[in-house]
Amino acid sequence: MRRIGPHAALAFGAVLLGACTDGEFRTLLPDGAVAGYPEVVRLVDERVLDFDAVADDEATGGLGVHFKLRVPGEAIAVGVMLEGKLSGAYRVGEWLDDDQKALASLDDGGLNPEVCYDCLNPTASSDVVNAAMAPNNERVHFAPGTHRLIAIGERFEIDLSKEGVRTLVRTGDPIGGVARMSAYAKIVPKLPETGRVDLNIHFTGAQGWDAASAAQNPALAAVLARVTDIWSQVGLSIGRVSYFDVDPGFEVINDPGTPAPNSDLHSLRRAGTKEPGVNLFFIGTFGFTYGSFHPVGLASGIPGPWRNGTSSSGVTVALDDHVENEVLDTAAVARTVAHEVGHELGLFHTTSLGGVTDPIGDTDDSCTQLMYFATSCATGSDPVGDKLSVEQGKVLRRNMHVYHGDAAEDVNP
């Protein structure tokens, strides 16, 4: 597949990365301790991007800030994170590698489409915090050296009129102010064939689940075992699992992350831990719909941010909406978790509304795929697809959340 479909909800972690010391790459937690991600290095540490200074930029209509990244030759992937205002929609609007190949472009679909459909390396808009990763499909072979990028920031409104789609509607108004830009690179000799992702699981009390009993919870154990089975197709596994309780008031999320400081979804994500790993929030239900479509899970982006504790960090899954005949369907919960974490790690829908599809060549538009859009395949029974492709696995393993232990042991000769 070559085209990108819009995400069902762009309502839409996780480390502070230290510099190189003594020739070794280290990843540091906020307290200075070394985390288990030695392959990830920081290229840029929260550079301030001034959107007030670009009002006269004709190329972007005053919406974009130009910046550069120095990409080391050993990098197998580069990630960029933009963190700005609650009233702003952000995305990487242009990305040129050192060979001047346009990985993302201002010319494809406008300055700030929901998704850069025709880009070689598609990028998606998201509110407050945005992340982009290259490469995110097999067509991309970006050259190391100096990469030139444009960060787009624009005020937005939310349109829920289309069934199943939360659209960030362009207002044409510059966001102004500043945003913080961070950039990371994954440095390994070759893309490893295996990888692990840590999960920080947060409980609201839904279905009686809490942190104290999580380790002895058979339903949760079944969910994690099934997620492991699904991810094993592409060499991905669950690493460390940590448990946290959050305010039970978050059991029902009543808004889709509108640009307000105290919106339910933003507040829930800010309440999550800042420890490394993907933050996973188990709630009861979402108290809103997209048209007639009721979500059962939401990611924070494609991919999501790599720093936790922001207004846009983490995956949210509604347990009560996976109950049938008063019994929790753990297999369905696991599929939702695997699907939404797939978005969080950089996978688009294989099939979405309007027939648009992802940029990966070895996926198809059948309901066997893990990443199809649910309403495209629901035909009287719950969708059950859980297939991941070889190329999707490469995208997942390139993500900054995924680590590989001793890279020399995991890489094929």
Side-chain angles (χ1 to χ4, degrees), residues 17-51:
L17 301 177
C20 304
T21 59
D22 298 328
E24 293 183 304
F25 296 125
R26 296 296 184 197
T27 302
L28 302 182
L29 302 180
D31 63 1
V34 177
Y37 298 78
E39 303 94 356
V40 177
V41 299
R42 179 172 55 194
L43 302 179
V44 177
D45 181 17
E46 295 198 339
R47 180 185 302 169
V48 174
L49 302 182
D50 186 357
F51 283 88

Coordinates of all heavy atoms in Angstrom, one line a residue, residues 17-51:
L17 N 17.0 12.7 27.3 CA 18.2 12.0 26.8 C 19.5 12.8 27.1 O 19.6 14.0 26.9 CB 18.1 11.8 25.3 CG 16.9 10.9 24.9 CD1 16.8 10.8 23.4 CD2 16.9 9.6 25.5
G18 N 20.5 12.0 27.6 CA 21.7 12.7 28.0 C 22.7 12.7 26.8 O 22.6 12.0 25.8
A19 N 23.8 13.5 27.0 CA 24.8 13.6 25.9 C 25.7 12.4 26.0 O 25.7 11.6 26.9 CB 25.5 14.9 26.1
C20 N 26.6 12.4 25.0 CA 27.6 11.3 24.9 C 28.7 11.6 25.9 O 29.2 12.7 26.1 CB 28.2 11.3 23.5 SG 27.0 11.1 22.2
T21 N 29.1 10.5 26.6 CA 30.2 10.6 27.6 C 31.2 9.5 27.4 O 30.7 8.3 27.2 CB 29.7 10.6 29.0 OG1 29.0 9.4 29.2 CG2 28.8 11.8 29.3
D22 N 32.5 9.8 27.3 CA 33.5 8.7 27.2 C 33.2 7.8 26.0 O 33.5 6.6 26.1 CB 33.6 7.9 28.5 CG 33.9 8.7 29.7 OD1 34.7 9.7 29.5 OD2 33.5 8.5 30.8
G23 N 32.7 8.4 24.9 CA 32.5 7.6 23.7 C 31.3 6.7 23.8 O 31.1 6.0 22.8
E24 N 30.5 6.7 24.9 CA 29.3 5.9 24.9 C 28.1 6.7 24.9 O 28.0 7.8 25.5 CB 29.4 5.1 26.2 CG 30.5 4.0 26.3 CD 30.4 3.2 27.6 OE1 30.4 3.9 28.6 OE2 30.3 2.0 27.5
F25 N 27.0 6.2 24.3 CA 25.7 6.9 24.3 C 25.0 6.5 25.5 O 24.9 5.3 25.8 CB 25.0 6.5 23.0 CG 25.6 7.0 21.7 CD1 25.9 6.1 20.7 CD2 25.9 8.3 21.6 CE1 26.5 6.5 19.6 CE2 26.5 8.8 20.4 CZ 26.8 7.9 19.4
R26 N 24.4 7.4 26.2 CA 23.6 7.1 27.4 C 22.3 7.8 27.3 O 22.2 8.9 26.8 CB 24.4 7.6 28.7 CG 25.7 6.9 28.9 CD 25.5 5.4 29.2 NE 26.7 4.8 29.5 CZ 26.9 3.4 29.5 NH1 25.9 2.7 29.1 NH2 28.0 2.9 29.8
T27 N 21.3 7.2 27.9 CA 20.0 7.8 28.0 C 19.7 8.0 29.5 O 19.8 7.1 30.3 CB 18.9 6.8 27.5 OG1 19.2 6.5 26.1 CG2 17.5 7.4 27.5
L28 N 19.4 9.2 29.8 CA 19.3 9.6 31.2 C 17.8 9.9 31.6 O 17.1 10.5 30.9 CB 20.1 10.8 31.5 CG 21.6 10.7 31.2 CD1 22.3 12.0 31.6 CD2 22.2 9.5 32.0
L29 N 17.4 9.5 32.8 CA 16.2 9.8 33.4 C 16.3 11.2 34.0 O 17.4 11.8 34.1 CB 15.8 8.8 34.5 CG 15.6 7.4 34.0 CD1 15.3 6.5 35.2 CD2 14.6 7.3 33.0
P30 N 15.2 11.9 34.3 CA 15.2 13.2 34.9 C 16.1 13.4 36.1 O 16.7 14.4 36.3 CB 13.8 13.5 35.2 CG 13.0 12.7 34.2 CD 13.8 11.5 34.1
D31 N 16.3 12.3 36.9 CA 17.1 12.3 38.1 C 18.6 12.0 37.8 O 19.4 12.0 38.7 CB 16.6 11.4 39.2 CG 16.6 9.9 38.7 OD1 17.1 9.6 37.6 OD2 16.2 9.1 39.5
G32 N 18.9 11.8 36.5 CA 20.3 11.6 36.1 C 20.7 10.1 36.0 O 21.8 9.8 35.6
A33 N 19.7 9.2 36.4 CA 20.1 7.8 36.4 C 20.0 7.3 34.9 O 19.4 7.9 34.1 CB 19.0 7.0 37.2
V34 N 20.8 6.3 34.7 CA 20.9 5.7 33.3 C 19.8 4.8 33.1 O 19.6 3.8 33.9 CB 22.3 5.0 33.1 CG1 22.3 4.4 31.7 CG2 23.4 6.0 33.2
A35 N 19.0 5.0 32.0 CA 17.9 4.1 31.7 C 18.4 3.0 30.7 O 19.5 3.0 30.3 CB 16.7 4.9 31.1
G36 N 17.4 2.1 30.4 CA 17.8 1.0 29.6 C 17.7 1.2 28.1 O 17.3 0.3 27.4
Y37 N 18.1 2.4 27.6 CA 17.9 2.7 26.2 C 19.2 3.2 25.6 O 19.3 4.4 25.1 CB 16.8 3.8 26.0 CG 15.4 3.3 26.4 CD1 15.1 3.3 27.7 CD2 14.5 2.9 25.5 CE1 13.8 3.0 28.1 CE2 13.2 2.6 25.9 CZ 12.9 2.6 27.2 OH 11.6 2.2 27.6
P38 N 20.3 2.5 25.7 CA 21.6 3.1 25.3 C 21.7 3.3 23.8 O 22.6 4.0 23.3 CB 22.6 2.0 25.7 CG 21.8 0.7 25.7 CD 20.4 1.1 26.2
E39 N 20.7 2.8 23.0 CA 20.8 3.0 21.5 C 20.3 4.4 21.1 O 20.5 4.8 20.0 CB 20.0 1.9 20.8 CG 20.4 0.5 21.1 CD 19.6 -0.1 22.2 OE1 18.7 0.6 22.8 OE2 19.7 -1.3 22.5
V40 N 19.6 5.1 22.0 CA 18.9 6.3 21.6 C 19.8 7.5 22.1 O 20.1 7.5 23.3 CB 17.5 6.4 22.2 CG1 16.9 7.8 21.9 CG2 16.6 5.3 21.6
V41 N 20.1 8.4 21.2 CA 20.9 9.6 21.6 C 20.1 10.9 21.3 O 19.3 10.9 20.4 CB 22.2 9.6 20.9 CG1 23.0 8.4 21.3 CG2 22.1 9.7 19.4
R42 N 20.4 11.9 22.0 CA 19.7 13.2 21.8 C 20.5 14.0 20.8 O 21.7 14.2 21.0 CB 19.6 13.9 23.1 CG 19.0 15.3 23.0 CD 18.7 15.8 24.4 NE 19.9 15.9 25.2 CZ 19.9 16.0 26.5 NH1 18.8 16.2 27.2 NH2 21.1 16.1 27.2
L43 N 19.9 14.4 19.7 CA 20.5 15.3 18.8 C 20.3 16.8 19.2 O 21.1 17.6 19.0 CB 19.9 15.1 17.4 CG 20.1 13.6 16.8 CD1 19.5 13.6 15.4 CD2 21.6 13.2 16.8
V44 N 19.1 17.1 19.6 CA 18.7 18.4 20.0 C 17.9 18.4 21.3 O 17.0 17.6 21.4 CB 17.9 19.2 18.9 CG1 17.5 20.6 19.4 CG2 18.6 19.2 17.6
D45 N 18.2 19.2 22.3 CA 17.6 19.2 23.6 C 16.7 20.5 23.7 O 17.2 21.5 24.1 CB 18.6 19.2 24.7 CG 18.0 19.2 26.1 OD1 16.8 18.8 26.1 OD2 18.7 19.5 27.0
E46 N 15.4 20.4 23.3 CA 14.4 21.4 23.5 C 14.9 22.8 23.0 O 14.9 23.8 23.7 CB 14.1 21.5 25.0 CG 13.4 20.2 25.5 CD 12.7 20.5 26.9 OE1 13.0 21.4 27.6 OE2 11.8 19.7 27.2
R47 N 15.2 22.8 21.7 CA 15.5 24.1 21.1 C 14.2 24.9 21.0 O 13.1 24.4 20.7 CB 16.0 23.9 19.7 CG 16.3 25.2 18.9 CD 16.7 24.9 17.5 NE 17.9 24.0 17.5 CZ 18.4 23.4 16.4 NH1 17.7 23.6 15.2 NH2 19.4 22.7 16.4
V48 N 14.2 26.2 21.3 CA 13.0 27.1 21.2 C 12.8 27.5 19.8 O 13.7 28.0 19.1 CB 13.2 28.3 22.1 CG1 12.0 29.3 21.9 CG2 13.3 27.9 23.6
L49 N 11.6 27.2 19.2 CA 11.2 27.7 17.9 C 10.3 28.9 18.1 O 9.2 28.7 18.7 CB 10.5 26.6 17.1 CG 11.3 25.3 17.0 CD1 10.5 24.3 16.1 CD2 12.7 25.5 16.3
D50 N 10.6 30.0 17.5 CA 9.9 31.2 17.7 C 8.9 31.4 16.5 O 9.4 31.8 15.4 CB 10.9 32.4 17.8 CG 10.2 33.7 18.1 OD1 8.9 33.7 18.2 OD2 10.9 34.7 18.3
F51 N 7.7 31.2 16.7 CA 6.7 31.4 15.6 C 6.3 32.8 15.4 O 5.7 33.2 14.4 CB 5.4 30.5 15.9 CG 5.6 29.0 15.6 CD1 6.1 28.2 16.6 CD2 5.3 28.5 14.4 CE1 6.3 26.9 16.4 CE2 5.5 27.2 14.1 CZ 6.0 26.3 15.1

